Amino acid sequence: MRRWVDIGLMVLAAAVFALWLFFPLAALAVTDEEAQLQDAYRTGRIIRLHVVAHSDDPADQQLKLAVRDAVIARFGQMLSTIGQQDFVSANDLLRKNLMQIQHTAESCARRHGFAGDVRAEAGLMHLPEKRYGSVTLPAGEYHALRITIGEGKGQNWWCVLYPQLCLALGQEDSAEMTWHSRRIWRQWLALPV
């Protein structure tokens, strides 16, 4: 009887180990950035950046990225310092530079042949649900810098300016999870990352 109990325990241990091997471990782990974002969301001290395309037409989507790149090229240093400041100062810095940001976005759109409106606004605004790693920011009111091209009915590019987590998102989360799983496996097997 004791032997059957030992065999049962070994089978159970093997099953638990097999589940551990195939379960996406990254889904359980929260990165430092995700924890920082969760805290910012809980305290209401988050500033999001959205660049919204005129439509989902491929040319409008390319224009959205060109506008994003132009704004980041011109104001990248300023935008990166926002995450290093306190929340109130970060909001003030955005508002103080809003007209220059809009001018840069408009100039880029004109160079690419877009004749419609280009608007930049900063403040409290309703934004759609977005996912950052394992953290979901629900649709709702957020402090944000939003650049809207034309009718603003296309997909948007977004990131988090405060706290400083400004990354190009919208990629499949599974790629991120795969990378984390590989890193964990390599560490477990003592292989170089």
Side-chain angles (χ1 to χ4, degrees):
M1 182 61 144
R2 176 78 178 144
R3 181 182 163 142
W4 287 110
V5 170
D6 289 341
I7 291 173
L9 288 174
M10 285 192 299
V11 168
L12 179 63
V16 168
F17 183 73
L19 283 173
W20 179 78
L21 287 177
F22 297 107
F23 190 81
L25 296 175
L28 297 176
V30 176
T31 66
D32 290 340
E33 292 85 7
E34 291 166 336
Q36 198 176 8
L37 184 58
Q38 287 172 334
D39 184 53
Y41 175 72
R42 273 192 299 276
T43 62
R45 294 184 172 272
I46 183 171
I47 302 172
R48 291 166 56 174
L49 167 62
H50 282 243
V51 181
V52 187
H54 176 64
S55 75
D56 284 335
D57 179 80
D60 288 340
Q61 289 295 309
Q62 288 297 331
L63 176 60
K64 169 192 73 179
L65 298 177
V67 167
R68 174 204 64 191
D69 292 346
V71 168
I72 290 174
R74 172 73 173 84
F75 296 99
Q77 184 63 37
M78 181 203 72
L79 293 173
S80 69
T81 63
I82 284 176
Q84 300 164 5
Q85 297 183 13
D86 65 89
F87 181 73
V88 173
S89 298
N91 270 315
D92 290 344
L93 187 60
L94 281 179
R95 285 191 179 98
K96 207 182 307 183
N97 289 281
L98 190 59
M99 294 313 298
Q100 294 94 334
I101 292 170
Q102 179 166 321
H103 176 73
T104 299
E106 278 179 322
S107 295
C108 176
R110 301 294 177 259
R111 282 193 310 275
H112 285 83
F114 186 78
D117 288 337
V118 178
R119 297 173 312 283
E121 53 191 320
L124 196 59
M125 56 190 75
H126 187 80
L127 295 174
E129 177 181 284
K130 290 293 180 179
R131 187 167 174 84
Y132 184 100
S134 66
V135 177
T136 299
L137 297 174
E141 298 293 314
Y142 291 88
H143 291 273
L145 166 61
R146 178 169 46 205
I147 300 169
T148 306
I149 304 166
E151 293 183 23
K153 293 187 177 180
Q155 295 294 313
N156 68 77
W157 177 90
W158 80 284
C159 72
V160 178
L161 290 175
Y162 186 93
Q164 187 176 348
L165 304 172
C166 209
L167 303 172
L169 300 177
Q171 301 163 357
E172 288 299 314
D173 294 331
S174 60
E176 180 78 15
M177 293 172 77
T178 301
W179 183 84
H180 282 297
S181 297
R182 283 190 200 132
R183 189 179 80 192
I184 290 166
W185 270 107
R186 286 184 179 147
Q187 287 175 347
W188 185 68
L189 296 173
L191 297 173
V193 177

